[in-house]
Amino acid sequence: ANIIMKTAAFASLIAGAAAFAPSKSSSRSSALQMSFENELGAQPPLGFFDPLGLVADGDQEKFDRLRGVEIKHGRICMLGVVGYLVNKAGIYLPGDISTDGTKFSDLGSGWDASFAVPVPGALQVLAFCGALELVGWKQAEGSFPGDFSASSFPVGWVGADDPETQEDYRAKELNQGRAAQMGMLALMVHDKLGNVDDLLPWLPSN
């Protein structure tokens, strides 16, 4: 009986120790993720942040694709935030958005403007964005994600001639794009709630 009890106790100790031992898959995943810890955008205070483990396999091609998507969404949202605030302040493009006589200034701002755009006007916007996506913006082969210098129209650096300044600009773009994505989401939510004027009392309302 004593032998059985000692054997059981020893087995339980081994099981307990195994529970705290690092697993091979976990160690491998951590090692692979470390390969991205020095990538641009892994900045304080979060550092490399991948809570869903999207690049836990260390696939560089997947990382570059996701980074390209992040940059594109950030750029769109930076434009979106500025566009929202400009329209909210009552500033619009001159002229009509549609052949039925609907003017840009008739649309309002926010969600209301999105639903007020006539179908022909919405199709124009869709066609323009599609043209940019399919034949306009072109990723430069072998370059960093978001480098559209291979586009069919001139795209280049403004005031950044050396590699160090260019890397600094890229880091700032990533940070501002991330902030803009959060800002765009917040504006969409509060516009739907109808309290943007309370949050931004300094903004002239149309």
Side-chain angles (χ1 to χ4, degrees), residues 35 57 95 206:
S35 62
D57 56 2
N206 59 353

Side-chain angles (χ1 to χ4, degrees), residues 16 26 29 34 46 79 85-86 102-103 119 123 131 138 140 143-144 152-153 160 173 186 192:
S26 176
S29 175
M34 285 179 65
L46 295 178
L79 289 171
L85 296 176
V86 167
T102 302
K103 294 179 169 40
V119 173
L123 291 176
K138 292 294 182 183
S143 187
F144 57 85
S152 54
F153 41 84
E173 181 189 30
K192 200 66 177 174

Side-chain angles (χ1 to χ4, degrees), residues 138-192:
K138 292 294 182 183
Q139 170 69 37
E141 288 289 335
S143 187
F144 57 85
D147 179 7
F148 289 161
S149 58
S151 300
S152 54
F153 41 84
V155 177
W157 295 98
V158 178
D161 298 326
D162 59 281
E164 186 176 336
T165 304
Q166 291 177 5
E167 184 169 342
D168 179 59
Y169 277 25
R170 289 173 56 205
K172 289 176 179 176
E173 181 189 30
L174 265 174
N175 280 337
Q176 291 170 4
R178 290 165 177 171
Q181 290 176 73
M182 299 299 293
M184 192 72 249
L185 178 60
L187 285 173
M188 292 168 66
V189 170
H190 287 286
D191 184 87
K192 200 66 177 174

